[in-house]
């Protein structure tokens, strides 16, 4: 069981892009714990060669609404933001 945990941690530490998509109608602030970025409405952001976040990710909406996404979020996942919603989804290997 220790070997499986070690493999999981190694896979999560691989360098890769952290992708954020904002499909919502307002700008949001995404705090990865190490960096903070404003993501425009109906826009997105990519942290190139970022690897995994160091922990949880906070998505801050207008009017002090915040959503905490359990981390770490790794390059095989993406953060998808909607109208007052935020979630972590796997990245499809069929995306081009």
């Amino acid at each position: 069981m220790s070997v499986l945990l070690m493999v999981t941690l190694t896979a999560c530490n691989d360098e890769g892009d952290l992708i954020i998509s904002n499909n919502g109608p307002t700008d949001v602030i995404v705090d990865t714990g190490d960096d903070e970025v404003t993501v425009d409405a109906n826009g997105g952001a990519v942290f190139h060669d970022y690897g995994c976040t160091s922990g949880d990710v906070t998505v801050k909406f207008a009017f002090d609404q915040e959503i905490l996404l359990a981390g770490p979020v790794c390059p095989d996942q993406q953060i998808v933001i909607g109208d007052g919603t935020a979630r972590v989804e796997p990245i499809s290997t069929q995306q081009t």
Side-chain angles (χ1 to χ4, degrees):
M1 188 147 188
S2 295
V3 175
L4 179 60
L5 178 59
M6 193 167 157
V7 171
T8 302
L9 291 176
T10 301
C12 192
N13 287 330
D14 288 343
E15 291 297 313
D17 299 341
L18 178 63
I19 300 171
I20 304 167
S21 298
N22 182 3
N23 303 317
T26 60
D27 298 352
V28 297
I29 297 171
V30 178
D31 184 351
T32 66
D34 297 318
D35 291 297
E36 191 173 273
V37 62
T38 298
V39 184
D40 294 337
N42 297 308
V46 176
F47 289 97
H48 293 286
D49 296 323
Y50 189 86
C52 297
T53 63
S54 60
D56 296 339
V57 174
T58 304
V59 179
K60 302 173 186 176
F61 296 86
F63 308 110
D64 297 324
Q65 177 189 1
E66 293 185 356
I67 295 177
L68 184 67
L69 301 172
V73 178
C74 293
D76 62 338
Q77 303 169 307
Q78 63 182 334
I79 298 169
V80 179
I81 301 162
D83 187 6
T85 65
R87 63 190 181 281
V88 177
E89 294 182 351
I91 292 180
S92 170
T93 57
Q94 296 178 356
Q95 287 182 348
T96 57

